[in-house]
Amino acid sequence: MKKIDDIIASALTGDKACTSRLISLVERDDEQAPYIMRQLYPFSGKAYYIGITGAPGAGKSTTVDKLVKMFCKNGKNVGVIAVDPSSPFSGGALLGDRVRVNIKKTEYNYFFRSMSSGNIMGGLSRTTKEAARILDACGKDIIIIETVGVGQSELDVAKATDTVVVILTPESGDGVQIMKAGLIEVADIFVVNKCDRPGAENIAHALKGMLDRIDYRLSWKPPIIKTSASLNKGVDTLYEGLGEHRRYLNCDKKIKQRRQRQIREELKRNIETEFIKTILSDIYNGNDFGKALDNVCEHRIDPQNAARQIVTAWLSKDMQPSEKWAKGV
Ligand SMILES: Nc1nc2c(ncn2[C@@H]2O[C@H](COP(=O)(O)OP(=O)(O)OP(=O)(O)O)[C@@H](O)[C@H]2O)c(=O)[nH]1
Ligand SMILES: [Mg+2]
């Protein structure tokens, strides 16, 4: 069996099977995952990230399918990550007529990966980002992430990209619902898909009314693009819109600021997680925890006061935490 360093080296030269192996290891939070990311991260940062989100069945995959072809035709190396909903409730209802990216492998150079949020061990947001970074490091120019924008974590994934496309349909409801779902803040481009159906004008109109009320003088105003993805209508306008937003971000280094904001949030979240993990493992492996457990079981003290005592005792232990960590204990 290939050693991890060999797999990494092959993936970096564009080997798809090895790239896939690395993503799988990260997806199942394998013990080698941190090493993989440490090795690959320095090679990432060159790709352009596009998030595509929208309600179940809005036509995201159909749109992605068409976009991938356009990018490939223009000589881009494309990676797609489609995050499937984990809940059997929504998943079951959708599986009937969902579209898969179905481009012939030999025809275009692209990489497709589907991730089920139910199978991901390290958290949806973290794992998707890591998978995208693996593709980035392995030479993809464009990375498209498709998520069903129904849950907060799915929306978070889409938000962590350079351009966020929100796909609506004539069935998306009115402006109030769009507002409630928090889509106005995240979208860089709105797509009203299924324009071959009645009601598309209404939703586009409601959306325009909402955007017109916002002052966009100092920022990017999301365009509203009407498409019928399955009929391949309007997707070329979306493709141009993506290019325009990218040019906007590249001007005055806005892209650098946008990525820095995202990384700042990500780093903070990771620090929180590491911080809690480190302290908790210290506490749970200490004697106080065992003693407190006995005391609570024997009804000598209630759980809340016991927890307070443990944390207070931990904080006042022989050394201050900062000294402790400085010494690497
Ligand atoms: N009438 C019409 N149907 C469309 C259009 N675009 C997509 N569809 C159909 O809508 C259904 C769902 O399309 P998908 O592309 O799978 O939608 P999705 O948003 O990726 O769905 P999930 O990933 O399951 O959330 C399929 O049957 C498509 O053929 C369109 O422009 N018009
Ligand atoms: Mg889909």
Side-chain angles (χ1 to χ4, degrees):
M1 214 164 68
K2 263 191 170 181
K3 284 217 186 77
I4 192 70
D5 283 322
D6 296 334
I7 299 174
I8 292 174
S10 301
L12 283 173
T13 60
D15 184 303
K16 283 186 188 172
C18 288
T19 307
S20 209
R21 265 295 286 289
L22 295 178
I23 295 179
S24 299
L25 289 168
V26 163
E27 196 173 28
R28 72 172 101 99
D29 208 11
D30 187 272
E31 57 180 18
Q32 288 172 307
Y35 178 76
I36 294 168
M37 291 319 295
R38 204 185 182 120
Q39 296 301 310
L40 288 181
Y41 191 79
F43 295 96
S44 69
K46 297 178 204 88
Y48 194 80
Y49 291 66
I50 298 168
I52 307 244
T53 191
K60 299 178 293 295
S61 301
T62 313
T63 307
V64 170
D65 183 84
K66 305 281 191 290
L67 283 176
V68 170
K69 284 178 187 155
M70 291 168 120
F71 278 117
C72 288
K73 272 189 189 146
N74 286 313
K76 301 289 184 212
N77 197 338
V78 186
V80 177
I81 298 172
V83 182
D84 287 342
S86 57
S87 107
F89 173 69
S90 57
L94 304 176
L95 288 174
D97 74 338
R98 67 188 329 196
V99 170
R100 292 266 164 209
V101 174
N102 57 358
I103 305 163
K104 281 200 201 86
K105 290 218 156 129
T106 46
E107 204 180 334
Y108 296 106
N109 186 16
Y110 81 102
F111 182 100
F112 176 82
R113 176 78 177 205
S114 163
M115 300 184 111
S116 166
S117 43
N119 295 342
I120 293 173
M121 304 302 288
L124 174 72
S125 170
R126 205 196 78 196
T127 311
T128 318
K129 271 187 210 136
E130 287 177 344
R133 281 183 184 138
I134 291 174
L135 294 182
D136 183 350
C138 297
K140 300 289 162 217
D141 308 305
I142 303 284
I143 292 163
I144 303 180
I145 303 173
E146 173 190 335
T147 65
V148 180
V150 281
Q152 191 52 50
S153 57
E154 275 88 355
L155 215 53
D156 283 346
V157 172
K159 261 161 61 180
T161 55
D162 300 315
T163 302
V164 179
V165 179
V166 171
I167 303 192
L168 303 169
T169 61
E171 293 80 32
S172 295
D174 57 14
V176 178
Q177 275 166 289
I178 297 169
M179 203 74 145
K180 263 201 206 150
L183 297 175
I184 294 287
E185 297 83 52
V186 302
D188 298 301
I189 295 177
F190 279 105
V191 167
V192 176
N193 189 39
K194 305 198 183 182
C195 276
D196 48 298
R197 287 196 186 162
E201 268 314 316
N202 291 348
I203 182 90
H205 187 74
L207 192 56
K208 183 173 180 304
M210 288 168 68
L211 297 184
D212 283 347
R213 265 178 262 138
I214 300 168
D215 184 358
Y216 284 111
R217 270 175 302 181
L218 295 175
S219 57
W220 166 265
K221 183 172 183 178
I224 302 166
I225 297 169
K226 290 184 228 158
T227 62
S228 290
S230 58
L231 306 173
N232 207 3
K233 280 193 183 151
V235 185
D236 48 349
T237 317
L238 171 60
Y239 184 83
E240 281 162 27
L242 288 167
E244 237 162 81
H245 187 241
R246 187 174 184 174
R247 282 191 291 280
Y248 165 82
L249 287 181
N250 279 334
C251 174
D252 294 337
K253 298 205 176 114
K254 288 190 201 72
I255 193 158
K256 203 174 163 201
Q257 290 161 6
R258 182 175 171 125
R259 287 182 175 181
Q260 207 168 46
R261 264 200 314 273
Q262 292 167 353
I263 289 176
R264 185 187 156 86
E265 286 312 307
E266 188 180 350
L267 188 58
K268 275 166 73 177
R269 264 200 307 276
N270 280 303
I271 290 173
E272 280 163 30
T273 313
E274 286 300 319
F275 195 76
I276 290 170
K277 221 164 69 183
T278 310
I279 292 176
L280 289 186
S281 99
D282 199 36
I283 288 180
Y284 294 155
N285 293 321
N287 292 334
D288 287 355
F289 182 69
K291 275 187 227 150
L293 187 62
D294 281 346
N295 286 337
V296 176
C297 288
E298 297 298 327
H299 289 258
R300 287 189 284 265
I301 186 167
D302 63 287
Q304 192 182 6
N305 279 297
R308 245 182 228 154
Q309 277 184 9
I310 287 180
V311 173
T312 313
W314 186 87
L315 287 172
S316 59
K317 254 183 174 168
D318 48 343
M319 274 185 281
Q320 285 302 307
S322 58
E323 290 178 63
K324 226 167 134 169
W325 287 320
K327 291 186 180 169
V329 221

